[in-house]
């Protein structure tokens, strides 16, 4: 999430011209940049929660970009919140 926000700032400030520039500079594919940038389609409250999740000290983070894709693809913030709430419960249960 923080990376998506940082990339957006670079675009807005004109540091990079477009997402293709971001991909080249980040050494990732254009589709991967799109996946990262699509996190900005999440409801602002969800973005905020993701930014403030505690760091994972061991193992894999149960909340990851691929898990968030279907939520970001949902246009309705209400539906995003419903799905996020169920995912958040899984996250809490794994801690």
């Amino acid at each position: 999430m923080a990376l998506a926000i940082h990339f957006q700032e670079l675009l807005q400030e004109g540091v990079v011209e477009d997402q293709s520039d971001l991909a080249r500079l980040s050494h990732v594919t254009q589709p991967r940049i799109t996946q990262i940038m699509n996190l900005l389609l999440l409801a602002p409250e969800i973005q905020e929660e993701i930014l403030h999740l505690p760091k994972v000290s061991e193992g894999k983070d149960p909340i990851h970009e691929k898990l968030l894709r279907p939520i970001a693809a949902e246009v309705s913030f209400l539906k995003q919140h419903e799905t996020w709430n169920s995912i958040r419960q899984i996250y809490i249960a794994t801690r």
Side-chain angles (χ1 to χ4, degrees), residues 5-17 22 25:
I5 292 168
H6 178 66
F7 284 170
Q8 181 183 33
E9 290 170 353
L10 293 175
L11 287 163
Q12 288 175 340
E13 294 168 2
V15 175
V16 293
E17 188 173 324
L22 283 172
L25 291 171

Side-chain angles (χ1 to χ4, degrees), residues 1 39 43 59 92:
M1 189 74 251
L39 293 174
I92 291 168

